[in-house]
Amino acid sequence: MKITTGGVCKAGTTLVNKTGGWRSFRPVFNYEKCKKCGLCEIVCPDMSVLPKEDGFFKYNYDYCKGCGICANECPADAIEMVLEEK
Amino acid sequence: MAVNLEDKSKMVVTEGSYAVAHAAKVCRPNVISAYPITPQTHIVENLSKFMADGEIPNCEYINVESEFSAISALVGASAAGARTYSATTSQGLELMHEVLFNAAGMRLPIVMTIANRAVSAPINIWNDQQDSISQRDTGWLQLYAEDLQESADMLPQLYKIAEDKEVLLPGMACMDGFILSHVYEPLVLLEQDLTDEFLPAYEPEYVLDPKNPMSFGAFAAPDTYEEFRYLQEQAMQNALPKIEAVAKEFGEIFGRFHGGLIDEYRTEDAEVIIMAMGSILGTIKDVVDEYRARGEKIGVLKVRAFRPFPKEQIRKAIKDAAVVAVLDKNISIGTNEGALFTETKACMYNARCDIPIIGYTIGHGGRDIRLETIAKIIEEAKEVASSGINTESQFVEVREELL
Amino acid sequence: MSKPTPKTYLSPGHRGCAGCCDALAAKFMLMGAGPDCIVVNPTGCLEVMTTPFPESAWEVPWIHSLFENGPAVASGIEAALKALGRKGNTKVIGVGGDGSTMDIGIRSLSGAFERGHDLTYVCIDNEAYMNTGVQRSSGTPFDASTTTSPAGKVSFGNPRPKKNMPAIMAAHGAPYVATTSIGYPRDMIRKVKKATETEGPTYIHAHAPCPTGWGFDGSKTIEMAKLAVQTCLWPMYEMENGEITQVKKVKNPMPVEEYLKAQKRFKHLFTMEGGDEEIKKIQALADWNIEYFGLQ
């Protein structure tokens, strides 16, 4: 790292900071219940719900902080919060 | 000032504020943002008229609701790649205080004219230099003009210094309020073609642009903040030779030289040297001429750059004098000293040069500075040369009957 | 399957708390605005959590200057783009919290709107100074306990209702002013899009429950935002040229207790003597909203 003039930063560079380590509970999809509505993707404050080609979604556990908003909001009750075992 | 005889044919009689507004115009600013305050008003009124007449191409003038927003708008404009200009004074400059640090830290080469004025309370609209001197730690370049012509000529010089890739700092062109801003004198209005030749377009490395999104103004934790401060200081040091070089280049193109970091007047063999900044220098030079006519070795040191502070140049200029008197139109309350005096003393202390230096704070709130007052100071300085310092720093001619 | 999710321009890796309301608000704002914008972000949680040097979570051009000058900085950027011939459809967007918008920065915001710059300003209202530890702002609601308006033996907390910021902005002659909530992402995305597509100064006031500052679990951020709307304590409406043109109806408003009891900042209303009367006063605020905005 070098100090840039005036501290200018490049776009999208917080990707180096993997916030997945903050997590106590891990969200897990139950694809049998999932209706592919996509609400989980919208309501994730950490942009950690990613669409899959088959229309379902998957988690990016590198950044998911385990807040549980997706599980709380899921209208199909298709997301379970599972205790992380470290 | 070295007068170029060719200039006489180009001279017009005009007000200092008009000359400065005209100078700002020919520097081709993209965004002007200002809030009216006495005695800066004539500068922004003239710029507004230029805008109304379509005389400043590719420029937007923002009539902001405060000085705080005036300088804040320029932070945004400068980060977006614009050449920016404002003018203010006194309370307006003090209101900008927080943003001044910010603009310097973000390394944005904003240029601003300061029509120097006293600060409240008591409220007072007349000239001293307390306003800009109080901003000396904000990281802005500060140049002080001696006369109307220099007040105008300083602007393209300051843009060139501020926008230099090795500097990238904002700058204040300081001119004494009323004494320079409201006086009419014969002078040369800066020519557009010569100014274009002297001052290239501003081309920053990074700008706010959706095509290349960058982030400006991130926060720095203790592991990097110190390096940011270090680099700001380095940029100021880099400005020292630039100020000299730019003044010289200006002289070559325009035929006028007002000094670089400093300007020496009859100091070559001087036993007594009087130091000061701004329009007071004219008065001092008149008195010194009388002394010289009588054969007394008195000289004048004009300090043109207060930030960066030209330690080496000052040391060299005064080291052989028998005594130095520093005149300040400001005071750091609690030290009983003006800033130029304190800093001059400080830069001599470790220089193995034990000459006596005395200080006077003078001209507060527009108090008239008479020739006799300067002569009295010179007489006191001569006394110090022979018998040592009695009073290190003092107010000049306080009206005892009012106390 | 529902409509596809618009792309956002905020990267993960930011330091917002788990369940952060600011991250959601910024995400939705950028979904509505798209990539052709420049964001000005006054000091606050959002600024701090997204840009620790040398990192930035922003994928659009972004600038932070100070706490109280965001709208002035935005004015300068807009003027610069015009002067340099780069304005095109690029929208300048200011985004700040309730403190920077409604308190310390209101002069700057008022000036920018009066001058008529082509910019959108988004207030993320989480109803207190969260970045410094939950101190009271003029966005803090009646009877909320904050660290500078704590409930105590002789106090029910904040003694004043929220400042009516949207009305102030509409009074500036803004062509578009809207309230929204992070509990309704599609509503917020639509309104930000409309604001950025409207010429002139436009204002979005987004209600944003903060789990850390209000005292609820981070999984309930969206739920709490919806409760505020469903109890009619946070009316959602649009104003065009000063007139209310659209209101989100609430068919069966819930009693305010449902919202209050879920948050630590109102806990004292359920334990202190006289709390019942205070809750009635808060219900009266919701009833006033129902009547004034025609929410039912």
Side-chain angles (χ1 to χ4, degrees):
Chain A
M1 176 184 52
K2 289 279 181 195
I3 304 287
T4 51
T5 305
V8 174
C9 302
K10 284 185 183 152
T13 42
T14 48
L15 288 173
V16 299
N17 184 44
K18 306 244 169 124
T19 51
W22 298 18
R23 204 167 50 237
S24 301
F25 290 88
R26 157 189 295 251
V28 178
F29 280 115
N30 180 341
Y31 291 126
E32 286 175 11
K33 288 186 178 176
C34 175
K35 302 280 194 288
K36 303 181 180 176
C37 73
L39 189 61
C40 52
E41 184 191 3
I42 294 185
V43 299
C44 175
D46 290 289
M47 285 59 73
S48 297
V49 181
L50 307 173
K52 300 202 297 173
E53 279 183 15
D54 59 7
F56 287 112
F57 294 85
K58 63 178 179 186
Y59 285 103
N60 183 345
Y61 291 113
D62 280 350
Y63 301 103
C64 168
K65 294 169 186 161
C67 71
I69 290 180
C70 54
N72 195 59
E73 296 306 316
C74 177
D77 200 18
I79 302 166
E80 192 185 348
M81 298 302 292
V82 181
L83 187 65
E84 286 280 358
E85 287 181 26
K86 288 177 183 169
Chain B
M1 180 179 100
V3 177
N4 182 342
L5 291 178
E6 281 177 33
D7 274 349
K8 281 189 177 170
S9 61
K10 297 190 226 159
M11 278 183 164
V12 292
V13 175
T14 188
E15 194 195 34
S17 291
Y18 181 86
V20 167
H22 182 273
K25 178 180 81 163
V26 298
C27 289
R28 300 191 183 278
N30 302 116
V31 177
I32 300 168
S33 175
Y35 186 80
I37 179 169
T38 304
Q40 154 265 37
T41 42
H42 292 183
I43 297 172
V44 296
E45 286 167 8
N46 281 307
L47 285 167
S48 300
K49 188 71 169 77
F50 293 146
M51 288 298 295
D53 291 335
E55 289 181 20
I56 316 183
N58 307 316
C59 182
E60 293 281 322
Y61 186 110
I62 314 178
N63 267 308
V64 282
E65 80 293 337
S66 66
E67 287 89 355
F68 198 92
S69 284
I71 185 68
S72 295
L74 297 189
V75 166
S78 185
R83 177 172 284 162
T84 58
Y85 179 76
S86 190
T88 191
T89 174
S90 183
Q91 308 310 126
L93 184 60
E94 307 313 319
L95 183 58
M96 291 181 178
H97 182 66
E98 185 191 6
V99 198
L100 299 179
F101 282 100
N102 191 251
M106 292 177 81
R107 309 291 298 275
L108 300 170
I110 298 164
V111 166
M112 182 158 63
T113 294
I114 309 301
N116 286 114
R117 167 186 149 182
V119 296
S120 180
I123 190 165
N124 172 298
I125 61 165
W126 292 274
N127 165 249
D128 64 32
Q129 295 168 346
Q130 192 69 55
D131 51 358
S132 55
I133 288 295
S134 300
Q135 306 300 339
R136 63 189 183 271
D137 292 338
T138 56
W140 282 56
L141 305 159
Q142 286 194 355
L143 303 182
Y144 287 79
E146 179 179 350
D147 55 32
L148 273 61
Q149 186 72 60
E150 187 182 3
S151 303
D153 291 354
M154 200 172 258
L155 286 183
Q157 293 189 35
L158 196 47
Y159 275 114
K160 192 156 184 161
I161 299 156
E163 292 171 2
D164 189 292
K165 294 226 175 336
E166 290 173 26
V167 179
L168 285 174
L169 290 172
M172 296 180 195
C174 302
M175 65 190 291
D176 285 321
F178 290 114
I179 299 167
L180 298 181
S181 65
H182 284 54
V183 164
Y184 282 70
E185 261 183 20
L187 50 79
V188 181
L189 294 173
L190 283 167
E191 298 87 344
Q192 185 69 66
D193 56 344
L194 294 183
T195 308
D196 288 343
E197 184 189 334
F198 173 76
L199 179 65
Y202 174 45
E203 283 170 359
E205 189 176 356
Y206 300 115
V207 298
L208 291 166
D209 182 2
K211 291 190 196 77
N212 181 26
M214 303 295 278
S215 292
F216 290 65
F219 84 86
D223 63 337
T224 56
Y225 184 83
E226 187 160 328
E227 283 68 28
F228 279 104
R229 301 295 279 172
Y230 175 82
L231 288 170
Q232 251 180 285
E233 179 57 39
Q234 290 300 109
M236 269 288 176
Q237 296 306 319
N238 293 344
L240 286 165
K242 304 282 180 190
I243 292 169
E244 296 273 12
V246 163
K248 192 162 165 275
E249 191 189 337
F250 184 91
E252 284 160 8
I253 291 178
F254 291 88
R256 294 186 296 274
F257 181 75
H258 308 279
L261 293 159
I262 58 170
D263 197 36
E264 296 180 68
Y265 182 77
R266 310 188 84 161
T267 53
E268 56 284 352
D269 59 345
E271 287 162 5
V272 177
I273 292 179
I274 312 294
M275 283 175 68
M277 302 193 293
S279 64
I280 190 176
L281 286 157
T283 313
I284 298 170
K285 286 176 183 175
D286 285 348
V287 177
V288 166
D289 285 344
E290 288 172 21
Y291 273 85
R292 281 283 178 179
R294 295 198 298 268
E296 297 201 45
K297 292 174 177 174
I298 318 287
V300 183
L301 179 62
K302 162 181 175 171
V303 177
R304 189 164 176 264
F306 186 65
R307 283 294 179 271
F309 193 67
K311 293 181 188 179
E312 288 299 328
Q313 289 73 14
I314 289 174
R315 278 181 196 140
K316 190 160 168 278
I318 66 175
K319 67 177 170 38
D320 297 324
V323 60
V324 175
V326 185
L327 276 53
D328 271 286
K329 282 188 175 180
N330 70 85
I331 180 167
S332 176
I333 300 282
T335 65
N336 196 31
E337 295 180 1
L340 181 61
F341 173 57
T342 301
E343 298 199 8
T344 301
K345 273 196 305 175
C347 83
M348 298 308 283
Y349 184 78
N350 287 328
R352 297 183 185 179
C353 176
D354 191 21
I355 56 167
I357 305 176
I358 53 173
Y360 296 85
T361 79
I362 189 168
H364 297 275
R367 178 71 59 88
D368 204 19
I369 298 165
R370 297 171 302 129
L371 299 171
E372 306 88 85
T373 306
I374 302 295
K376 189 172 153 247
I377 288 169
I378 292 171
E379 289 306 313
E380 286 181 10
K382 283 160 61 183
E383 185 102 3
V384 167
S386 57
S387 57
I389 294 174
N390 187 22
T391 305
E392 191 184 22
S393 180
Q394 59 189 297
F395 278 76
V396 171
E397 295 176 347
V398 169
R399 293 178 62 192
E400 297 290 345
E401 73 275 20
L402 299 182
L403 304 176
Chain C
M1 271 188 65
S2 68
K3 291 175 282 182
T5 304
K7 184 171 162 42
T8 193
Y9 297 87
L10 191 68
S11 288
H14 65 73
R15 275 74 166 172
C17 302
C20 174
C21 60
D22 278 4
L24 287 168
K27 177 183 178 180
F28 303 153
M29 179 187 88
L30 292 172
M31 282 175 161
D36 193 7
C37 67
I38 295 173
V39 172
V40 182
N41 187 185
T43 311
C45 276
L46 181 61
E47 167 261 321
V48 170
M49 74 196 213
T50 54
T51 58
F53 181 83
E55 298 168 27
S56 170
W58 298 83
E59 296 164 30
V60 294
W62 177 95
I63 182 170
H64 159 251
S65 170
L66 295 166
F67 197 9
E68 68 278 48
N69 70 352
V73 174
S75 302
I77 294 168
E78 186 249 17
L81 294 180
K82 280 183 179 165
L84 296 166
R86 299 207 324 253
K87 178 70 179 71
N89 291 320
T90 302
K91 194 74 176 193
V92 181
I93 302 177
V95 56
D98 45 295
S100 73
T101 306
M102 301 166 72
D103 289 345
I104 199 168
I106 195 169
R107 171 175 74 196
S108 171
L109 184 61
S110 176
F113 271 59
E114 176 276 320
R115 291 189 298 272
H117 293 279
D118 185 24
L119 53 84
T120 293
Y121 192 90
V122 179
C123 173
I124 303 177
D125 184 2
N126 57 21
E127 306 193 322
Y129 290 91
M130 297 314 180
N131 197 33
T132 43
V134 202
Q135 292 84 17
R136 182 234 186 239
S137 79
S138 63
T140 302
F142 180 67
D143 274 356
S145 184
T146 73
T147 53
T148 54
S149 66
K153 284 173 189 160
V154 296
S155 172
F156 286 107
N158 182 43
R160 298 286 300 159
K162 286 171 76 73
K163 187 192 277 186
N164 189 346
M165 197 64 191
I168 294 169
M169 300 323 295
H172 282 75
Y176 184 69
V177 170
T179 63
T180 184
S181 162
I182 61 165
Y184 298 84
R186 299 269 179 200
D187 183 86
M188 180 164 178
I189 294 164
R190 178 181 71 79
K191 285 170 176 170
V192 170
K193 186 167 191 291
K194 187 166 174 182
T196 54
E197 286 171 357
T198 303
E199 179 95 17
T202 55
Y203 181 77
I204 301 289
H205 198 114
H207 195 237
C210 167
T212 311
W214 296 12
F216 62 84
D217 188 80
S219 64
K220 311 274 187 196
T221 305
I222 297 277
E223 184 180 321
M224 206 61 63
K226 283 182 174 167
L227 269 174
V229 173
Q230 285 159 3
T231 53
C232 297
L233 282 169
W234 185 252
M236 298 215 296
Y237 54 90
E238 293 174 271
M239 298 175 84
E240 292 179 48
N241 301 308
E243 298 292 324
I244 294 175
T245 51
Q246 212 172 55
V247 173
K248 180 179 170 54
K249 299 282 184 184
V250 182
K251 274 185 189 152
N252 299 304
M254 295 164 75
V256 296
E257 282 96 328
E258 297 300 313
Y259 177 64
L260 303 177
K261 74 183 184 191
Q263 305 171 40
K264 265 194 198 148
R265 62 177 179 160
F266 293 117
K267 193 180 165 196
H268 57 286
L269 300 179
F270 298 92
T271 56
M272 282 170 71
E273 198 179 324
D276 296 356
E277 289 304 310
E278 294 302 304
I279 292 171
K280 281 181 192 159
K281 290 178 194 169
I282 296 171
Q283 185 62 56
L285 293 172
D287 293 345
W288 187 88
N289 284 338
I290 293 169
E291 179 72 22
Y292 183 83
F293 293 104
L295 296 181
Q296 270 190 298

